[in-house]
Amino acid sequence: MELEPLGDDFEDNCERFLPEAVDQGCVWALEGEEGFALCESETRPGTDVMPFWSQREFAEAHIADDWAEYQVVAIDLEEFMDDWLTGMHDDVLLVGINWNDDLEGEEIEPLDLLEQLEQELE
């Protein structure tokens, strides 16, 4: 089955994240020697955003430029919910959800995403 690419409709991309992540039991991130990929928030200056994707291919599309040396890593959904999102909240990081090829998309609070994932799993 061909994967429908992420488009310019951020809400649409965001809506795909939950069922796809739950379906696979994991989310995808990029990790390099310095740690996980981060960028500066477009909505909150001085705050960093850590992007995650619901499909391996979406994450792979971003291995270029600053992230050319990065690897795609799967993060178990349970671990993501139990450890990552609360940790990111404590570190005042935002979550980037299914950013498209232009690195554009929703930036949301980790605990908001946690709540949405819990609802999706019910």
Side-chain angles (χ1 to χ4, degrees):
M1 192 181 92
E2 179 114 355
L3 203 57
E4 180 73 24
L6 295 170
D8 294 332
D9 185 336
F10 302 157
E11 226 168 90
D12 197 38
N13 295 346
C14 220
E15 272 171 25
R16 291 181 61 179
F17 185 85
L18 297 171
E20 289 179 358
V22 167
D23 188 46
Q24 295 190 70
C26 66
V27 297
W28 303 89
L30 294 177
E31 187 176 20
E33 284 180 12
E34 307 287 308
F36 283 86
L38 288 173
C39 355
E40 197 166 325
S41 167
E42 297 203 345
T43 54
R44 279 197 236 160
T47 304
D48 281 329
V49 185
M50 190 179 289
F52 294 93
W53 293 272
S54 58
Q55 300 282 357
R56 182 184 185 94
E57 292 84 345
F58 299 161
E60 280 173 348
H62 297 284
I63 298 178
D65 304 326
D66 290 353
W67 297 342
E69 303 296 311
Y70 282 61
Q71 307 286 326
V72 176
V73 285
I75 300 161
D76 179 75
L77 193 60
E78 206 169 297
E79 184 189 330
F80 183 65
M81 292 172 68
D82 293 347
D83 303 333
W84 281 73
L85 291 172
T86 49
M88 288 174 69
H89 172 73
D90 294 341
D91 294 339
V92 196
L93 290 170
L94 293 171
V95 185
I97 302 292
N98 267 355
W99 285 356
N100 65 20
D101 291 351
D102 299 323
L103 272 184
E104 294 174 340
E106 298 279 334
E107 300 176 1
I108 67 173
E109 292 283 347
L111 297 184
D112 291 347
L113 180 59
L114 181 58
E115 197 175 303
Q116 290 172 19
L117 280 165
E118 284 170 347
Q119 287 171 352
E120 186 73 27
L121 286 164
E122 277 173 12

